Amino acid sequence: MHALIDLRQLAPPEPIERILHWLDTAEPGQIGLFHLPHVPYPLYEHLHMRPCHWECDKQADGSAILQLVRDQ
Amino acid sequence: MFQPEFSLPLSTPLRFFRAAPCWLLLASLVALGLPPEAWQARFSPAMLALTHLLMLGFAGNIMLGALLQVCAVLTGVRAHPTSAIVLWLALQTGTGLLAWGLWHMQMIVLQLAALILLAALLGLTLWLLASLLLRSALQQHSPLLWPILGLLLLALSGGLLVSLLSTGQPALALNDLLRAHIVLGSTAWLSGLIIVVGFTVIPMFLVAPAWPRWLVQILPGLIFALAFASAIDARALYLLGLPVVLWYAGLLRVLHQSQRRADPTRALWAWGGINLLLPLMCVPWLEHGSAHWPAATPVLLAAYWLLAGVLPIITAMLAKIIPFLLWMDYRLEQPSGGRLRHMGQLFPERWLRRLSYGVFLMGIVLWPLSSTSFKAIPLMLMIYALALAYCLERSIRIRRQAS
């Protein structure tokens, strides 16, 4: 089970900055779980530029849980 | 998983945002040159021209830029860059011609303006509605549909007004058509879009919980329905304020729960929200008892709605959206690190505070100044337009220099 990192209390663009920083320093195969205040649509373009894949689940309260996997 | 490309080239919304202060500056220059008696007649050629400079040139540019951006980010419906340039050109040309045509009551110019604006806005709204409805089959229905529908009807009613003025056709009562045009523009389109955009930008930038789901689902449709009913029958104007009261109650709750207590945009939203609502509540009494009010009251009420309602909210939106877009653009070029570490470098909070003071002041002094020195209002508006243009251009320059 991976720890869920709660980024809901941060103002933009801090959540995006932290996720990108995590991704840039993660080992291949490492999985990150992030709780965000909203579905992070603007982040997707930045993720496309990096070796990763992800799933994002919108929650009933409007927040979103992003599961990010660092690829090779 | 549904994962389309959500971004829009930075130049697309910026082009609209950068044009807006120029129109505001022009409108304030025009207002400055008007004689005092011009403010008594809301449907005089000069006042009609001024209204369109403000509503189409200033507010229209900002709201269309925001609409294109929000549609791309929230729904994945992206305007083609060339189409966005054509829309921008049509909006600027159409606004200029419309204001000129109204000022001089030149029917051929009015017809040309109406043709350009109708073609552009019908093309945009029909494309957006079709794209959003198609996406609705894949995702949930978007509340953006309602203000877009409002814009479509606004453009159509504007076209009918020009036709009625220039050819006498269709055989509709001018006052009824004017009321329809005003209520569709101010409520179904502009307030509707402000409300829908607020559902996203307030929780996002002010770190607050999401708006209640039921409110997000029913409010935009309800506002549109009541605005449409008011366009058809003036008696529905009495009900028009009710959904806005609901929205304002929700707005206060979300602002109260915001984690960013010191952010100046909280006060701008709260002040702007109440001033979108109050004039709306006064309109039916004005409509049905116009003989009891001073002649300048409708103009003042509209000015108050714009300066104390729309302007604070537009300021709050731009102060967040612009640095965020510039920062996102910078991150695409510079994936990590770099000279820009936070959005405050692009649009410092002190700029926003100064803009806010100007906006609050304009709203507060509008009524007292209206009877003593009306010229001070366009002068303040001119200073605001210059300050807004400075903030926008400076932000863009800081972003460019960081490359």
Side-chain angles (χ1 to χ4, degrees), chain B residues 122-136:
Chain B
L122 291 190
L124 170 75
T125 50
L126 291 175
W127 167 73
L128 280 176
L129 287 171
S131 307
L132 288 174
L133 287 171
L134 200 66
R135 293 246 188 259
S136 297

Side-chain angles (χ1 to χ4, degrees), chain B residues 194-362:
Chain B
I194 282 175
I195 287 169
V196 172
V197 170
F199 288 154
T200 301
V201 300
I202 297 174
M204 181 175 166
F205 290 109
L206 289 174
V207 192
W211 289 69
R213 181 178 280 208
W214 65 270
L215 207 62
V216 174
Q217 282 174 344
I218 65 163
L219 204 55
L222 189 60
I223 288 172
F224 173 81
L226 285 173
F228 185 68
S230 304
I232 305 289
D233 187 332
R235 285 171 299 181
L237 285 169
Y238 286 102
L239 298 174
L240 196 53
L242 293 179
V244 187
V245 170
L246 270 181
W247 169 73
Y248 192 64
L251 173 71
L252 289 181
R253 181 173 166 267
V254 174
L255 292 177
H256 180 69
Q257 293 172 325
S258 162
Q259 303 292 314
R260 292 180 58 84
R261 313 293 295 177
D263 195 312
T265 58
R266 276 179 79 228
L268 284 169
W269 274 100
W271 172 247
I274 190 71
N275 294 316
L276 277 189
L277 174 63
L278 291 178
L280 207 57
M281 302 292 269
C282 297
V283 164
W285 312 107
L286 199 68
E287 185 84 7
H288 294 292
S290 51
H292 308 295
W293 298 85
T297 308
V299 175
L300 274 175
L301 202 62
Y304 187 75
W305 176 81
L306 186 71
L307 298 189
V310 175
L311 209 59
I313 292 178
I314 277 180
T315 307
M317 280 167 46
L318 289 181
K320 296 293 177 190
I321 292 174
I322 286 169
F324 184 66
L325 293 178
L326 291 170
W327 184 87
M328 292 297 283
D329 185 62
Y330 176 70
R331 265 289 161 264
L332 286 175
E333 181 188 287
Q334 181 84 37
S336 60
R339 290 164 66 181
L340 290 181
R341 296 305 176 115
H342 56 88
M343 279 167 35
Q345 286 172 272
L346 288 157
F347 201 110
E349 203 164 279
R350 66 176 186 281
W351 295 0
L352 176 56
R353 285 196 189 282
R354 287 169 193 165
L355 282 176
S356 309
Y357 297 147
V359 168
F360 292 138
L361 186 68
M362 273 191 281

Side-chain angles (χ1 to χ4, degrees), chain B residues 140-223:
Chain B
Q140 64 185 32
H141 146 87
S142 170
L144 281 165
L145 284 170
W146 298 110
I148 295 169
L149 206 50
L151 179 59
L152 173 70
L153 296 183
L154 171 69
L156 286 173
S157 63
L160 286 177
L161 269 172
V162 169
S163 170
L164 186 60
L165 282 174
S166 56
T167 68
Q169 293 297 326
L172 295 169
L174 180 63
N175 277 345
D176 288 343
L177 198 49
L178 275 170
R179 187 192 63 248
H181 189 61
I182 294 168
V183 83
L184 287 168
S186 62
T187 311
W189 156 239
L190 194 57
S191 298
L193 186 61
I194 282 175
I195 287 169
V196 172
V197 170
F199 288 154
T200 301
V201 300
I202 297 174
M204 181 175 166
F205 290 109
L206 289 174
V207 192
W211 289 69
R213 181 178 280 208
W214 65 270
L215 207 62
V216 174
Q217 282 174 344
I218 65 163
L219 204 55
L222 189 60
I223 288 172

